[in-house]
Amino acid sequence: MTQYTARTRALTVAGAVLTLAASAVLSSAGPAGAAIHTCSISGDRAKCAYVTGIDAGSNLAVRTGPRYSAPKSPVFGQYHNGDELGLICWTTGDGDADGHGYRYWMRVDNGIGDGYVNDWYLDTGGPNTWKSQIPQC
């Protein structure tokens, strides 16, 4: 085998490996980049978003009001990255639990009832994106 053929083969294999690696990263990105989308909540079409930014071993609790001192909503379970919630409207309240000072909360629906989560933990794209799509409460 000539040096040129060996080098060409090595570059071809390296390119294939990089293509597969990039493909795996893009396909595993999942819902975090999805932003607001249409989904079905108990058979009704709704605007929805995915939970994102929750630390491993932790969960997102849905509250009865837009503050962390509000009780957890009894009609919601624990939510993790990739879980979907219906969006009803937005309001302001306590800053996010991670200390970024983000005070926007979404009133969310699961088909049984509603509650509130800080928008920091949803993939809505932020206020410049969702204020035109989601009404204020």
Side-chain angles (χ1 to χ4, degrees):
M1 181 180 320
T2 68
Q3 183 178 2
Y4 175 77
T5 304
R7 177 179 277 179
T8 301
R9 181 172 288 159
L11 288 173
T12 302
V13 169
V17 168
L18 288 173
T19 300
L20 286 172
S23 190
V25 167
L26 291 174
S27 67
S28 69
I36 294 174
H37 59 279
T38 302
C39 70
S40 175
I41 301 293
S42 294
D44 295 326
R45 294 181 62 78
K47 300 275 187 187
C48 294
Y50 292 105
V51 174
T52 188
I54 303 300
D55 293 334
S58 190
N59 63 75
L60 179 66
V62 179
R63 305 281 176 180
T64 58
R67 59 197 174 282
Y68 291 104
S69 62
K72 291 180 183 177
S73 175
V75 297
F76 285 87
Q78 297 177 346
Y79 288 83
H80 302 89
N81 293 331
D83 290 341
E84 190 173 53
L85 288 168
L87 308 174
I88 299 171
C89 59
W90 66 271
T91 190
T92 56
D94 288 351
D96 65 277
D98 289 329
H100 299 101
Y102 191 81
R103 305 185 70 80
Y104 291 106
W105 287 68
M106 289 288 175
R107 187 169 161 213
V108 296
D109 179 21
N110 67 356
I112 299 170
D114 60 85
Y116 293 85
V117 297
N118 190 293
D119 181 55
W120 184 264
Y121 305 103
L122 299 175
D123 72 337
T124 59
N128 291 337
T129 300
W130 52 252
K131 279 189 177 180
S132 65
Q133 300 177 58
I134 306 298
Q136 187 170 3
C137 298

